[in-house]
Amino acid sequence: QSALTQPRSVSGSPGQSVTISCTGTSSDVGGYNYVSWYQQHPGKAPKLIIYDVTTRPSGVPDRFSGSKSGNTASLTISGLQADDEADYYCWSYAGSYILVFGGGTRVTVL
Amino acid sequence: QVQLQESGPGLVKPSQTLSLTCTVSVGSISTADYYWIWIRQPPGKGLEWIGYIYYLGTTYYNPSLKSRLTISVDTSKNQFSLDLSSVTAADTAVYYCARLYDFRYYMDVWGKGTTVTVSS
């Protein structure tokens, strides 16, 4: 069972925005600004799209944005595109060299 | 850009030891800013971190796997390895190696993954 809670699925039409939540505790998401998000297309390795809660690596479109409020982090995809259809996972540091992860969210582009 | 490649047997018998190696290329494993991590993904399920290692040999293990797990590093070969003992069908997964940024704990470079099936 994953330590961080994500919705199993979200969906949206092309051009719309979707937001994925990632809920933890004050010991992980709420306690550190070390939340990262990964995109995984079927049969492929995950790809880093957000780190340090809000930072996008070079090459990741600015349609992807991250935020955090209390014990919940969020990933927003704006201007949804067909290629955004994938699984998205959140990760967080939880202290004492422990990592925790979300169960993943399937984004469907209608 | 650093590249990672997993290698090892695709089939392991129950109760045996699963052994995988990750080779780091286009870069050095002996880098102060990074750890090197193993992550797995059972079929149809989410990601799970297994453990990670610093190039000097310090290791950090997922508590749920710690009793069966050994991660080691060979800086002369630019490789790090995973040994998971007493495997069962529940250890069947795609195993990924990745680079984990120190102090900020995000994985910025991943291998393509290797599928390991535990079956007799």
Side-chain angles (χ1 to χ4, degrees), chain A residues 34 38 40 52 97 99, chain B residues 41 47 49 52 103-104 107:
Chain A
Y34 299 145
Y38 303 85
Q40 186 180 34
D52 292 354
Y97 302 101
L99 305 176
Chain B
Q41 186 171 33
L47 303 170
W49 73 283
Y52 52 102
F103 298 119
R104 289 149 82 177
M107 288 75 71

Side-chain angles (χ1 to χ4, degrees), chain A residues 28-59:
Chain A
D28 40 65
V29 173
Y32 303 92
N33 288 321
Y34 299 145
V35 176
S36 53
W37 289 89
Y38 303 85
Q39 177 194 60
Q40 186 180 34
H41 287 107
K44 300 294 186 182
K47 172 189 173 184
L48 176 69
I49 56 172
I50 295 286
Y51 65 94
D52 292 354
V53 179
T54 62
T55 305
R56 278 179 290 104
S58 174

Side-chain angles (χ1 to χ4, degrees), chain A residues 65-95:
Chain A
S65 62
S67 62
K68 189 181 83 167
S69 177
N71 297 334
T72 298
S74 298
L75 172 71
T76 297
I77 309 173
S78 305
L80 202 59
Q81 299 181 1
D83 189 52
D84 298 334
E85 187 159 291
D87 294 324
Y88 293 82
Y89 295 90
C90 62
W91 282 69
S92 176
Y93 182 64

